[in-house]
Amino acid sequence: MKTFFQFINRFSLVQQIIVGLILGVIVGFFFPLHIAQSVGIIGQFFIGALKAIAPVLIFVLIIAAISNYHKQESGNGAMQKVILLYVFGTFLAALVAVSISFIYPVVVPLDIPAAEARGPADITDVLRTLFMNMVDNPVNALVTANYIGLISWGVLFGFALRSTNASTRNLFQDLAQLVTSVIKKVILIAPLGVFGLVSVTIAETGFEGIKSYLELVIVLLVAMGIVAFVVNPLLVYWAIRQNPYPLVFRCIKESGMTAFFTRSSAANIPVNIELSRKLGVREETYSVSIPLGATINMAGAAITITIFTLAAVHTLGIQVDFFSALLLSIFATIGACGASGVAGGSLLLIPLACSLFQIDNDIAMQLVVIGYVVGVIQDSTETGLNSSTDVLFTAAADFSATGVVPKEVSSK
């Protein structure tokens, strides 16, 4: 058994998920339905593990992030614009995802309970749900996976802890690292979960199951492409008032491609710092903005959260008005900034956005597992967009502050 696990560990998680996906398709197509449904228990086990740990992750991460946050100042005038670009770029990415999802709505195969509610009727119901969930008992919020309540109480506890001593704050930082470590262990069984989910989906829906996954991937890639090649260049042009594409393409080539394969914005920080240095960005800017961007600049995560949530909305037949969609974009922006630093971390924020529309946590977690099915492409592309945008906005803000754009990234 030890030799078997050593053999498996020679392959990356992505490779293991691909194998699980292929085996799931084989079982779903060529084995009897009762066998595929039996295998599907593995997928349900994975969903259960995610359901158990996700509320704890959200609550602890928010408390740790706010209680240990110390405002970092940069006297060079660039940091304010960097943060503005980070936040506004993430919000625009969520709006793009909303627009694409309404132009081409995607329906995904979900195990929907017969008594599943059809969601709120209008923005009034959405706001009522939002405010009432915010004041839910924090213990009950943990037990019932009320993510809105967890965020509101987490923020309050986080700010309250800022006035305590450093050892107390460090305790929650250690707890956040502990929970993140547990999440990484749970994600190790993702290949088995994908195997079980795909097996039963293909057995019950046939080719339609695969088609819906492909449509979801296409919508995700289109939205990320629009952000990378339309929205981001417009924001960079606003900052430097010059042709943004030389800088955009260089950041994608030297940062985005590396992040695509590492699938970690944090792991790509050294690459972005070196690229910032080569672009002529001042050290006092990139030494702060690059690590900060790996945490809060999450356009790709906002797209993922929004599109998956609206896929559930379309599948359940929930009607969403303009203001509800706008509120979803805001929540996706906030949620993306809190995405966990593990592969597929943005997927764990999907239940938060789903809760806006009173979508059951069981259904939201099914979306998370579907995310791992398509994550071979989705997570890599998302990370490439996130990380390349870190250095792109850092360079644009610094060039705007100094008024000097190096020749190699300026328009010809």
Side-chain angles (χ1 to χ4, degrees):
M1 184 64 69
K2 181 179 179 180
T3 304
F4 175 70
F5 282 114
Q6 288 176 341
F7 173 76
I8 291 177
N9 290 332
R10 291 171 55 189
F11 302 94
S12 69
L13 183 63
V14 174
Q15 292 172 323
Q16 294 176 34
I17 289 176
I18 292 175
V19 172
L21 177 61
I22 294 172
L23 291 177
V25 171
I26 293 173
V27 171
F29 271 126
F30 300 108
F31 284 70
L33 177 60
H34 71 276
I35 293 180
Q37 289 176 332
S38 299
V39 171
I41 295 175
I42 305 174
Q44 295 174 2
F45 176 81
F46 182 50
I47 292 174
L50 291 174
K51 284 171 56 181
I53 194 63
V56 181
L57 173 72
I58 301 300
F59 190 53
V60 174
L61 280 182
I62 289 173
I63 293 176
I66 293 178
S67 64
N68 286 279
Y69 174 76
H70 297 284
K71 188 176 180 181
Q72 293 174 301
E73 300 288 350
S74 180
N76 58 39
M79 280 306 301
Q80 289 183 345
K81 186 165 285 188
V82 170
I83 295 174
L84 178 63
L85 287 171
Y86 282 169
V87 175
F88 196 54
T90 302
F91 175 69
L92 288 179
L95 284 182
V96 168
V98 168
S99 302
I100 296 296
S101 293
F102 279 107
I103 293 172
Y104 189 85
V106 176
V107 175
V108 293
L110 296 172
D111 182 14
I112 304 172
E116 171 61 28
R118 287 297 172 185
D122 51 32
I123 184 61
T124 304
D125 285 346
V126 173
L127 291 175
R128 182 182 297 112
T129 300
L130 173 64
F131 289 123
M132 294 309 297
N133 283 343
M134 286 176 64
V135 293
D136 189 14
N137 182 291
V139 176
N140 186 63
L142 271 173
V143 173
T144 61
N146 172 9
Y147 294 94
I148 296 174
L150 293 176
I151 284 183
S152 62
W153 288 113
V155 168
L156 289 175
F157 285 138
F159 277 110
L161 281 169
R162 294 184 67 173
S163 60
T164 62
N165 56 53
S167 60
T168 304
R169 296 194 302 271
N170 290 338
L171 171 62
F172 279 88
Q173 192 69 32
D174 291 340
L175 283 174
Q177 294 176 358
L178 173 64
V179 176
T180 301
S181 177
V182 171
I183 284 287
K184 291 179 179 179
K185 296 294 189 298
V186 172
I187 290 175
L188 289 178
I189 64 174
L192 292 174
V194 168
F195 169 57
L197 177 71
V198 171
S199 297
V200 71
T201 298
I202 299 300
E204 294 178 351
T205 65
F207 180 74
E208 288 299 316
I210 296 179
K211 180 183 176 183
S212 65
Y213 292 162
L214 291 176
E215 289 176 340
L216 189 60
V217 170
I218 291 171
V219 170
L220 284 165
L221 294 181
V222 168
M224 292 184 190
I226 291 173
V227 170
F229 298 109
V230 179
V231 174
N232 285 352
L234 287 173
L235 291 173
V236 173
Y237 177 78
W238 168 77
I240 66 176
R241 292 295 191 272
Q242 293 191 31
N243 178 11
Y245 284 99
L247 180 60
V248 169
F249 289 134
R250 184 166 181 185
C251 290
I252 292 175
K253 177 184 176 182
E254 298 190 30
S255 173
M257 292 301 293
T258 305
F260 181 90
F261 292 103
T262 62
R263 302 175 75 212
S264 171
S265 295
N268 212 47
I269 287 176
V271 175
N272 281 349
I273 288 178
E274 177 61 20
L275 177 56
S276 297
R277 187 189 60 79
K278 290 193 293 184
L279 289 172
V281 178
R282 292 171 296 175
E283 183 177 359
E284 58 264 35
T285 300
Y286 69 69
S287 62
V288 176
S289 65
I290 293 299
L292 182 64
T295 304
I296 69 169
N297 183 37
M298 296 289 179
I303 290 171
T304 297
I305 294 168
T306 302
I307 287 178
F308 272 84
T309 300
L310 289 178
V313 167
H314 295 314
T315 302
L316 296 171
I318 299 173
Q319 299 299 315
V320 179
D321 57 30
F322 171 79
F323 291 105
S324 298
L326 182 63
L327 189 59
L328 171 61
S329 300
I330 296 172
F331 258 70
T333 302
I334 297 171
C337 293
S340 176
V342 298
S346 62
L347 300 175
L348 299 175
L349 276 299
I350 293 172
L352 166 63
C354 285
S355 65
L356 272 178
F357 302 102
Q358 302 174 19
I359 296 174
D360 188 82
N361 190 48
D362 289 339
I363 293 178
M365 282 302 171
Q366 291 178 51
L367 288 168
V368 174
V369 178
I370 291 174
Y372 282 104
V373 174
V374 302
V376 175
I377 298 176
Q378 169 268 327
D379 191 45
S380 296
T381 308
E382 174 188 312
T383 307
L385 175 62
N386 289 341
S387 192
S388 63
T389 306
D390 292 347
V391 67
L392 175 67
F393 286 166
T394 292
D398 193 70
F399 298 158
S400 175
T402 61
V404 178
V405 181
K407 292 182 179 179
E408 61 267 26
V409 296
S410 62
S411 58
K412 296 180 180 180

